[in-house]
PDB file of all heavy atoms in Angstrom:
ATOM      1  N   MET A1527     -23.304 -39.938 104.647  1.00 98.00           N
ATOM      2  CA  MET A1527     -23.779 -40.740 105.780  1.00 98.00           C
ATOM      3  C   MET A1527     -24.055 -39.857 106.996  1.00 98.00           C
ATOM      4  O   MET A1527     -25.043 -40.036 107.696  1.00 98.00           O
ATOM      5  CB  MET A1527     -22.764 -41.814 106.148  1.00 98.00           C
ATOM      6  CG  MET A1527     -23.245 -42.659 107.315  1.00 98.00           C
ATOM      7  SD  MET A1527     -22.165 -44.032 107.745  1.00 98.00           S
ATOM      8  CE  MET A1527     -23.121 -44.792 109.090  1.00 98.00           C
ATOM      9  N   HIS A1528     -23.163 -38.909 107.244  1.00 98.00           N
ATOM     10  CA  HIS A1528     -23.325 -37.996 108.384  1.00 98.00           C
ATOM     11  C   HIS A1528     -24.619 -37.191 108.242  1.00 98.00           C
ATOM     12  O   HIS A1528     -25.363 -37.007 109.214  1.00 98.00           O
ATOM     13  CB  HIS A1528     -22.124 -37.058 108.449  1.00 98.00           C
ATOM     14  CG  HIS A1528     -21.902 -36.443 109.790  1.00 98.00           C
ATOM     15  ND1 HIS A1528     -20.652 -36.117 110.263  1.00 98.00           N
ATOM     16  CD2 HIS A1528     -22.759 -36.065 110.774  1.00 98.00           C
ATOM     17  CE1 HIS A1528     -20.753 -35.580 111.455  1.00 98.00           C
ATOM     18  NE2 HIS A1528     -22.029 -35.532 111.789  1.00 98.00           N
ATOM     19  N   PHE A1529     -24.905 -36.736 107.026  1.00 98.00           N
ATOM     20  CA  PHE A1529     -26.154 -36.026 106.752  1.00 98.00           C
ATOM     21  C   PHE A1529     -27.370 -36.877 107.106  1.00 98.00           C
ATOM     22  O   PHE A1529     -28.277 -36.462 107.830  1.00 98.00           O
ATOM     23  CB  PHE A1529     -26.202 -35.625 105.272  1.00 98.00           C
ATOM     24  CG  PHE A1529     -27.531 -35.081 104.801  1.00 98.00           C
ATOM     25  CD1 PHE A1529     -27.790 -33.732 104.857  1.00 98.00           C
ATOM     26  CD2 PHE A1529     -28.495 -35.942 104.292  1.00 98.00           C
ATOM     27  CE1 PHE A1529     -29.017 -33.226 104.434  1.00 98.00           C
ATOM     28  CE2 PHE A1529     -29.717 -35.452 103.863  1.00 98.00           C
ATOM     29  CZ  PHE A1529     -29.975 -34.094 103.928  1.00 98.00           C
ATOM     30  N   PHE A1530     -27.381 -38.124 106.586  1.00 98.00           N
ATOM     31  CA  PHE A1530     -28.526 -38.978 106.827  1.00 98.00           C
ATOM     32  C   PHE A1530     -28.607 -39.437 108.285  1.00 98.00           C
ATOM     33  O   PHE A1530     -29.704 -39.629 108.813  1.00 98.00           O
ATOM     34  CB  PHE A1530     -28.488 -40.189 105.888  1.00 98.00           C
ATOM     35  CG  PHE A1530     -29.029 -39.886 104.522  1.00 98.00           C
ATOM     36  CD1 PHE A1530     -28.174 -39.795 103.429  1.00 98.00           C
ATOM     37  CD2 PHE A1530     -30.389 -39.692 104.313  1.00 98.00           C
ATOM     38  CE1 PHE A1530     -28.661 -39.490 102.169  1.00 98.00           C
ATOM     39  CE2 PHE A1530     -30.888 -39.413 103.055  1.00 98.00           C
ATOM     40  CZ  PHE A1530     -30.013 -39.297 101.971  1.00 98.00           C
ATOM     41  N   TYR A1531     -27.464 -39.588 108.927  1.00 98.00           N
ATOM     42  CA  TYR A1531     -27.476 -39.981 110.331  1.00 98.00           C
ATOM     43  C   TYR A1531     -28.159 -38.902 111.171  1.00 98.00           C
ATOM     44  O   TYR A1531     -28.992 -39.221 112.031  1.00 98.00           O
ATOM     45  CB  TYR A1531     -26.052 -40.207 110.836  1.00 98.00           C
ATOM     46  CG  TYR A1531     -25.990 -40.766 112.244  1.00 98.00           C
ATOM     47  CD1 TYR A1531     -26.069 -42.140 112.468  1.00 98.00           C
ATOM     48  CD2 TYR A1531     -25.832 -39.922 113.343  1.00 98.00           C
ATOM     49  CE1 TYR A1531     -26.014 -42.656 113.745  1.00 98.00           C
ATOM     50  CE2 TYR A1531     -25.774 -40.441 114.636  1.00 98.00           C
ATOM     51  CZ  TYR A1531     -25.878 -41.805 114.823  1.00 98.00           C
ATOM     52  OH  TYR A1531     -25.826 -42.308 116.104  1.00 98.00           O
ATOM     53  N   ASN A1532     -27.841 -37.655 110.923  1.00 96.00           N
ATOM     54  CA  ASN A1532     -28.498 -36.565 111.641  1.00 96.00           C
ATOM     55  C   ASN A1532     -29.950 -36.445 111.292  1.00 96.00           C
ATOM     56  O   ASN A1532     -30.803 -36.143 112.139  1.00 96.00           O
ATOM     57  CB  ASN A1532     -27.769 -35.250 111.372  1.00 96.00           C
ATOM     58  CG  ASN A1532     -26.410 -35.169 112.056  1.00 96.00           C
ATOM     59  OD1 ASN A1532     -26.034 -36.082 112.776  1.00 96.00           O
ATOM     60  ND2 ASN A1532     -25.691 -34.098 111.818  1.00 96.00           N
ATOM     61  N   LEU A1533     -30.284 -36.706 110.021  1.00 96.00           N
ATOM     62  CA  LEU A1533     -31.683 -36.652 109.585  1.00 96.00           C
ATOM     63  C   LEU A1533     -32.485 -37.766 110.227  1.00 96.00           C
ATOM     64  O   LEU A1533     -33.581 -37.539 110.773  1.00 96.00           O
ATOM     65  CB  LEU A1533     -31.755 -36.765 108.054  1.00 96.00           C
ATOM     66  CG  LEU A1533     -33.166 -36.791 107.456  1.00 96.00           C
ATOM     67  CD1 LEU A1533     -33.861 -35.459 107.685  1.00 96.00           C
ATOM     68  CD2 LEU A1533     -33.086 -37.101 105.953  1.00 96.00           C
ATOM     69  N   PHE A1534     -31.971 -38.997 110.171  1.00 96.00           N
ATOM     70  CA  PHE A1534     -32.682 -40.124 110.755  1.00 96.00           C
ATOM     71  C   PHE A1534     -32.778 -39.995 112.275  1.00 96.00           C
ATOM     72  O   PHE A1534     -33.771 -40.418 112.862  1.00 96.00           O
ATOM     73  CB  PHE A1534     -31.979 -41.443 110.390  1.00 96.00           C
ATOM     74  CG  PHE A1534     -32.049 -41.793 108.915  1.00 96.00           C
ATOM     75  CD1 PHE A1534     -31.166 -42.712 108.369  1.00 96.00           C
ATOM     76  CD2 PHE A1534     -32.972 -41.194 108.087  1.00 96.00           C
ATOM     77  CE1 PHE A1534     -31.223 -43.035 107.020  1.00 96.00           C
ATOM     78  CE2 PHE A1534     -33.029 -41.504 106.747  1.00 96.00           C
ATOM     79  CZ  PHE A1534     -32.151 -42.430 106.215  1.00 96.00           C
ATOM     80  N   GLY A1535     -31.745 -39.439 112.888  1.00 94.00           N
ATOM     81  CA  GLY A1535     -31.746 -39.320 114.357  1.00 94.00           C
ATOM     82  C   GLY A1535     -32.712 -38.301 114.882  1.00 94.00           C
ATOM     83  O   GLY A1535     -32.942 -38.240 116.101  1.00 94.00           O
ATOM     84  N   THR A1536     -33.271 -37.495 114.010  1.00 94.00           N
ATOM     85  CA  THR A1536     -34.229 -36.480 114.435  1.00 94.00           C
ATOM     86  C   THR A1536     -35.618 -36.763 113.824  1.00 94.00           C
ATOM     87  O   THR A1536     -36.517 -37.215 114.503  1.00 94.00           O
ATOM     88  CB  THR A1536     -33.727 -35.069 114.015  1.00 94.00           C
ATOM     89  OG1 THR A1536     -33.337 -35.102 112.625  1.00 94.00           O
ATOM     90  CG2 THR A1536     -32.535 -34.667 114.861  1.00 94.00           C
ATOM     91  N   VAL A1537     -35.742 -36.522 112.535  1.00 95.00           N
ATOM     92  CA  VAL A1537     -37.037 -36.665 111.881  1.00 95.00           C
ATOM     93  C   VAL A1537     -37.542 -38.110 111.907  1.00 95.00           C
ATOM     94  O   VAL A1537     -38.716 -38.367 112.278  1.00 95.00           O
ATOM     95  CB  VAL A1537     -36.950 -36.175 110.413  1.00 95.00           C
ATOM     96  CG1 VAL A1537     -38.280 -36.419 109.693  1.00 95.00           C
ATOM     97  CG2 VAL A1537     -36.575 -34.696 110.372  1.00 95.00           C
ATOM     98  N   LEU A1538     -36.691 -39.065 111.541  1.00 94.00           N
ATOM     99  CA  LEU A1538     -37.125 -40.470 111.505  1.00 94.00           C
ATOM    100  C   LEU A1538     -37.511 -40.977 112.885  1.00 94.00           C
ATOM    101  O   LEU A1538     -38.506 -41.670 113.055  1.00 94.00           O
ATOM    102  CB  LEU A1538     -36.033 -41.338 110.898  1.00 94.00           C
ATOM    103  CG  LEU A1538     -36.405 -42.825 110.732  1.00 94.00           C
ATOM    104  CD1 LEU A1538     -37.541 -42.975 109.750  1.00 94.00           C
ATOM    105  CD2 LEU A1538     -35.195 -43.638 110.276  1.00 94.00           C
ATOM    106  N   VAL A1539     -36.700 -40.638 113.888  1.00 92.00           N
ATOM    107  CA  VAL A1539     -37.010 -41.071 115.247  1.00 92.00           C
ATOM    108  C   VAL A1539     -38.357 -40.506 115.700  1.00 92.00           C
ATOM    109  O   VAL A1539     -39.171 -41.207 116.308  1.00 92.00           O
ATOM    110  CB  VAL A1539     -35.899 -40.631 116.237  1.00 92.00           C
ATOM    111  CG1 VAL A1539     -36.351 -40.810 117.666  1.00 92.00           C
ATOM    112  CG2 VAL A1539     -34.632 -41.438 115.964  1.00 92.00           C
ATOM    113  N   ASP A1540     -38.607 -39.240 115.386  1.00 93.00           N
ATOM    114  CA  ASP A1540     -39.906 -38.644 115.743  1.00 93.00           C
ATOM    115  C   ASP A1540     -41.052 -39.344 115.035  1.00 93.00           C
ATOM    116  O   ASP A1540     -42.111 -39.601 115.644  1.00 93.00           O
ATOM    117  CB  ASP A1540     -39.894 -37.157 115.388  1.00 93.00           C
ATOM    118  CG  ASP A1540     -39.078 -36.311 116.356  1.00 93.00           C
ATOM    119  OD1 ASP A1540     -38.708 -36.850 117.425  1.00 93.00           O
ATOM    120  OD2 ASP A1540     -38.821 -35.147 116.055  1.00 93.00           O
TER     121      ASP A1540
END
Side-chain angles (χ1 to χ4, degrees):
M1527 180 176 182
H1528 202 149
F1529 170 91
F1530 278 107
Y1531 187 85
N1532 288 357
L1533 177 66
F1534 293 162
T1536 49
V1537 176
L1538 183 64
V1539 168
D1540 285 348

